[in-house]
Amino acid sequence: MNAARAGRHPTARYIEAPDDAERLLASIRGEPIIAVDTEGASFHRFVDRIYLLQLSTRALNAVLDPLAIGTPPSLGVLLQDPSVETVFHDADYDLRLLHQDYGWHVRNIFDTRVAAQLLGIRAFGLAALLERYFGVQLDKKWQRADWSTRPLPPAMLEYAAQDTRYLLQLRDRMRDDLERAGRLPWAEEEFRRMEGTQWNGDASAGDAFLRLKGARDLSRRELAILRELVAWRDRVAAEVDRATFRVMSNEALFAIAREAPRELSALEQIKGVPRGLAARRGDEMLNAVRLGLAVPESELPRFPRAPRWERDPDFDQRVARLRAVRDTAAHRLDLDPGVLCSRDRLEAIARRRPRTVEELAGVEDLRRWQVEQLGEELLRAVKG
């Protein structure tokens, strides 16, 4: 099937004037369903925000520039109206950005990525789904584009419009597939849970250095130096509004932490340290090293201890039995095992050791549809 057979889609309108945005949003007031996407710039900027808003109805496609029009309150009213269905693909980050930037809590969600996973589709990216359902091939040229730049060339705006142009038709097809498979209630439960998604920030930002891949290979003294270097890099990234890895790579920070250079000449010899940055900010990096070296032994950072559970010699065996039940059911249902029930939830069941379906349903984050599909078998596996 080619793109033409996917239906006719009007050319997207690019909106960069507040009055035009209000007229557009007034024209779609009363629409029962709308497709939405956002473009951020986390790959390029220190603090991400919404740089484009794409939306489609059955009759129009539009790309709104929030840098030019500001917050579009009429859109917030629309997205938070429980009588209006809002369609996303992979909604989680969009929902977080919409909450962070505008304080919106979107209601009545349909997520085509979640729908695809519940249908057993392994290639669930938007491009793969559009090709699967409509034979439409998306150009991936602009995937890593910097959406914060202005002006945006027409090719980038057209690329952005593609993210919602076919989304309502895709939703229609996938909803029908879910209904035929008897899995629409599963999807609806997942969608309801997404309504509370919000931007929580990072309450443990001070410990972010401990979550860097490879940090566990460092000594506690090296961790102290790394902590100072990460804090320095964050300050620089915030100052120039650039993604942290574009200031300096994690690998270079690790190398500095291990070698702990005292002189600029030694710093400049470390692999991965940009020469220009060393010339401009070498003193700051060396000061971070000195601060790390000055931390008293008793105050050196350490990794938090994992939760201690009451000794349970049968725990691993219970998890193995639960996993076997899950994997057998996943094969029968043609689902990815992790979609059917994640390992974390299996371990939570193993620790809780429920004896009844009611107790099983009380396990944190376990869905009703999962209990319906697996409940009795999971209880037998717990009993062994």
Side-chain angles (χ1 to χ4, degrees):
M1 180 183 294
N2 58 32
R5 292 181 61 189
R8 299 184 64 183
H9 295 270
T11 301
R13 297 169 56 188
Y14 179 50
I15 307 295
E16 54 181 340
D19 290 346
D20 290 342
E22 281 306 306
R23 279 192 290 271
L24 174 83
L25 294 170
S27 74
I28 64 174
R29 194 175 297 133
E31 288 284 344
I33 186 169
I34 182 174
V36 174
D37 187 43
T38 67
E39 298 294 350
S42 60
F43 192 73
H44 299 271
R45 300 294 175 178
F46 179 66
V47 176
D48 203 8
R49 58 161 296 179
I50 296 173
Y51 290 99
L52 280 184
L53 280 163
Q54 303 99 290
L55 59 90
S56 294
T57 67
R58 302 287 187 189
L60 66 83
N61 303 292
V63 178
L64 279 64
D65 184 351
L67 299 187
I69 67 174
T71 301
S74 299
L75 182 58
V77 172
L78 193 65
L79 299 186
Q80 295 179 107
D81 184 343
S83 69
V84 178
E85 183 177 347
T86 306
V87 182
F88 295 90
H89 179 81
D90 200 0
D92 184 80
Y93 197 59
D94 297 305
L95 295 173
R96 294 180 193 280
L97 282 181
L98 289 167
H99 176 259
Q100 173 195 251
D101 287 8
Y102 307 134
W104 299 344
H105 290 280
V106 183
R107 307 283 300 278
N108 195 1
I109 296 163
F110 189 104
D111 188 333
T112 53
R113 179 184 186 271
V114 171
Q117 290 179 299
L118 294 178
L119 288 167
I121 299 173
R122 268 57 173 187
F124 46 73
L126 180 59
L129 292 176
L130 293 183
E131 186 164 8
R132 177 191 182 100
Y133 278 90
F134 304 123
V136 172
Q137 293 187 337
L138 296 185
D139 183 357
K140 300 180 181 180
K141 176 181 178 180
W142 303 104
Q143 277 187 319
R144 294 291 191 180
D146 184 357
W147 298 100
S148 66
T149 61
R150 293 296 184 273
L152 292 171
M156 282 181 68
L157 294 171
E158 174 59 22
Y159 174 87
Q162 297 289 337
D163 286 342
T164 59
R165 176 167 282 148
Y166 302 99
L167 211 49
L168 295 184
Q169 286 177 283
L170 182 62
R171 170 264 185 202
D172 295 343
R173 295 280 297 273
M174 300 190 86
R175 192 182 192 284
D176 289 345
D177 288 348
L178 286 166
E179 199 157 24
R180 279 192 292 271
R183 298 178 184 181
L184 184 57
W186 305 5
E188 290 173 340
E189 182 178 0
E190 297 293 338
F191 300 155
R192 284 193 296 273
R193 294 176 69 92
M194 297 170 74
E195 291 183 3
T197 303
Q198 61 183 20
W199 188 275
N200 294 318
D202 191 353
S204 58
D207 295 331
F209 71 101
L210 294 175
R211 296 192 292 276
L212 297 182
K213 184 178 180 181
R216 288 187 178 274
D217 297 330
L218 300 182
S219 69
R220 292 182 66 198
R221 176 62 63 190
E222 291 166 346
L223 281 175
I225 298 173
L226 179 67
R227 177 174 61 190
E228 300 299 331
L229 288 168
V230 168
W232 164 80
R233 184 178 65 173
D234 284 351
R235 289 194 296 273
V236 174
E239 179 184 324
V240 299
D241 192 15
R242 185 176 300 168
T244 54
F245 78 92
R246 292 181 178 272
V247 173
M248 186 180 292
S249 69
N250 291 344
E251 291 76 12
L253 295 186
F254 285 133
I256 298 172
R258 289 191 180 97
E259 298 188 28
R262 271 72 162 184
E263 303 292 337
L264 183 60
S265 58
L267 176 67
E268 291 174 335
Q269 296 304 310
I270 295 176
K271 183 179 180 181
V273 176
R275 289 194 175 187
L277 188 64
R280 295 191 308 275
R281 297 181 179 266
D283 289 343
E284 298 172 15
M285 286 184 256
L286 292 174
N287 185 57
V289 172
R290 285 192 290 270
L291 289 172
L293 291 171
V295 175
E297 288 288 330
S298 61
E299 298 176 15
L300 290 174
R302 66 170 72 244
F303 284 91
R305 294 181 178 180
R308 298 178 66 87
W309 303 98
E310 183 179 347
R311 181 168 173 76
D312 183 352
D314 298 324
F315 173 77
D316 289 338
Q317 290 184 352
R318 280 200 301 280
V319 172
R321 293 196 299 269
L322 291 166
R323 188 169 59 246
V325 166
R326 187 269 317 265
D327 291 352
T328 299
H331 180 74
R332 169 174 52 84
L333 296 167
D334 191 24
L335 283 176
D336 182 280
V339 172
L340 179 57
C341 193
S342 70
R343 180 178 177 83
D344 287 347
R345 288 181 201 141
L346 294 178
E347 291 181 351
I349 295 168
R351 289 193 183 94
R352 182 88 173 256
R353 287 186 273 189
R355 292 168 295 178
T356 66
V357 171
E358 289 73 22
E359 290 180 2
L360 178 65
V363 173
E364 187 177 7
D365 284 335
L366 200 64
R367 278 50 164 166
R368 288 196 303 272
W369 68 266
Q370 292 170 326
V371 174
E372 292 168 2
Q373 292 298 314
L374 302 172
E376 295 298 338
E377 295 173 86
L378 291 177
L379 291 174
R380 285 195 291 270
V382 169
K383 295 174 185 176

